[in-house]
Amino acid sequence: ALILANGSRASVISGSDGSGYELAKKLGHHIVPVWPALTALKCKGNFFKTWSGVRTEGKITLFSEGKPVVTEQGELQLTDYGVSGIPVFQISRYAIRAVHENKNAELSINFFPELNQKELEEYLEQRKTACPYKTEKELLIGLFPEKLIRVLCAQKDLIHGINDFRLPVKDSLSFEQAQVCSGGVDTSEVQSKTMESRLHKGLYFAGELLDIDGTCGGYNLQWAWSSGATAGIWAAKEE
């Protein structure tokens, strides 16, 4: 029996360089295209240095070809190349795959998800009425970090910029900076109960070499342990 548990191209781990994909391919297995996942996203824009270093709560939605795909909420990290943070990691696999399939991938960030557009308009109007002597930027102090305020106030429509800030996705960071990869050995060619290849008796797979990736929270580690244990148990029964 032989178990292939070579890992993926993600992270800087000695020996995990993606060579397992070539071994599986030479054995006749189909490899679903492999791309970084659970990673930050590079976006198109010329203002990123202005907001670089900001951490702020928000809701982020990925649109592919104009249609919403997935939404996550939590602490966003605004960088000098685009966006990062756990919510971005969660949607990165879908965004990166869309980009490499030549689809229009765009992010929509809501920096104030607690209020809808109408409620936000009323809230800001109340602040303006209470402090008519304050500038637009000054009215946002206490609501957003100073660096983010500068970017928001540069938008044509402030309300829209706060509730629906659009960022076209350009690419991801490198494989070395990704926590996992999406893609790998086609799972339709592997028996789910035993992890044995459907093409070759005695050949087993485990871990990230397969086209399986989970969200943040230990799911990828659990998959590695569970699939490894399963492959080991059934491989040991081979005669």
Side-chain angles (χ1 to χ4, degrees), residues 42-56:
K42 294 181 180 178
C43 301
K44 299 175 183 177
N46 56 7
F47 55 83
F48 297 131
K49 287 185 178 180
T50 304
W51 76 9
S52 179
V54 167
R55 290 173 179 262
T56 185

Side-chain angles (χ1 to χ4, degrees), residues 23-100:
L23 287 171
K25 191 174 181 180
K26 288 177 180 178
L27 289 168
H29 278 274
H30 171 247
I31 306 299
V32 176
V34 179
W35 302 112
L38 293 189
T39 187
L41 294 174
K42 294 181 180 178
C43 301
K44 299 175 183 177
N46 56 7
F47 55 83
F48 297 131
K49 287 185 178 180
T50 304
W51 76 9
S52 179
V54 167
R55 290 173 179 262
T56 185
E57 292 292 316
K59 180 186 289 186
I60 187 165
T61 301
L62 169 67
F63 285 83
S64 178
E65 297 296 304
K67 297 180 180 179
V69 177
V70 61
T71 298
E72 291 288 340
Q73 186 168 338
E75 185 182 70
L76 304 174
Q77 296 176 29
L78 310 183
T79 69
D80 60 1
Y81 54 79
V83 287
S84 185
I86 298 299
V88 177
F89 281 23
Q90 305 285 51
I91 68 174
S92 61
R93 74 174 317 280
Y94 306 101
I96 295 164
R97 198 157 289 279
V99 168
H100 287 282

Side-chain angles (χ1 to χ4, degrees), residues 8 21 31-35 37 93 97 181-186 207-213:
S8 68
Y21 301 128
I31 306 299
V32 176
V34 179
W35 302 112
R93 74 174 317 280
R97 198 157 289 279
C181 287
S182 68
V185 175
D186 191 335
E208 205 177 319
L209 187 60
L210 286 146
D211 178 27
I212 291 179
D213 59 289

Side-chain angles (χ1 to χ4, degrees), residues 20-237:
Y21 301 128
E22 290 303 313
L23 287 171
K25 191 174 181 180
K26 288 177 180 178
L27 289 168
H29 278 274
H30 171 247
I31 306 299
V32 176
V34 179
W35 302 112
L38 293 189
T39 187
L41 294 174
K42 294 181 180 178
C43 301
K44 299 175 183 177
N46 56 7
F47 55 83
F48 297 131
K49 287 185 178 180
T50 304
W51 76 9
S52 179
V54 167
R55 290 173 179 262
T56 185
E57 292 292 316
K59 180 186 289 186
I60 187 165
T61 301
L62 169 67
F63 285 83
S64 178
E65 297 296 304
K67 297 180 180 179
V69 177
V70 61
T71 298
E72 291 288 340
Q73 186 168 338
E75 185 182 70
L76 304 174
Q77 296 176 29
L78 310 183
T79 69
D80 60 1
Y81 54 79
V83 287
S84 185
I86 298 299
V88 177
F89 281 23
Q90 305 285 51
I91 68 174
S92 61
R93 74 174 317 280
Y94 306 101
I96 295 164
R97 198 157 289 279
V99 168
H100 287 282
E101 290 174 356
N102 295 317
K103 295 179 180 178
N104 178 32
E106 188 176 39
L107 302 176
S108 168
I109 303 177
N110 186 342
F111 290 109
F112 210 122
E114 297 87 350
L115 303 178
N116 61 36
Q117 185 171 327
K118 183 179 180 181
E119 291 170 338
L120 180 60
E121 287 177 349
E122 293 173 350
Y123 178 59
L124 292 181
E125 190 60 37
Q126 289 172 5
R127 289 175 71 91
K128 186 175 181 180
T129 301
C131 304
Y133 52 88
K134 287 189 175 182
T135 64
E136 187 177 65
K137 287 184 179 180
E138 290 172 335
L139 288 171
L140 297 181
I141 293 175
L143 299 179
F144 307 104
E146 191 270 335
K147 284 184 174 182
L148 179 56
I149 289 175
R150 277 187 273 163
V151 174
L152 293 174
C153 287
Q155 304 302 303
K156 292 181 179 180
D157 184 331
L158 176 61
I159 301 296
H160 192 265
I162 294 173
N163 273 162
D164 187 16
F165 194 99
R166 293 293 177 128
L167 282 176
V169 180
K170 183 167 60 177
D171 205 349
S172 68
L173 298 185
S174 66
F175 281 100
E176 290 75 19
Q177 293 168 292
Q179 291 187 15
V180 297
C181 287
S182 68
V185 175
D186 191 335
T187 56
S188 68
E189 300 170 352
V190 178
Q191 297 186 50
S192 61
K193 181 180 178 180
T194 63
M195 304 307 297
E196 185 177 25
S197 166
R198 295 182 184 275
L199 308 184
H200 300 284
K201 180 173 173 52
L203 173 63
Y204 295 81
F205 294 95
E208 205 177 319
L209 187 60
L210 286 146
D211 178 27
I212 291 179
D213 59 289
T215 56
C216 295
Y219 299 105
N220 294 288
L221 289 170
Q222 186 61 60
W223 163 244
W225 298 326
S226 298
S227 59
T230 301
I233 289 169
W234 285 92
K237 296 179 180 181

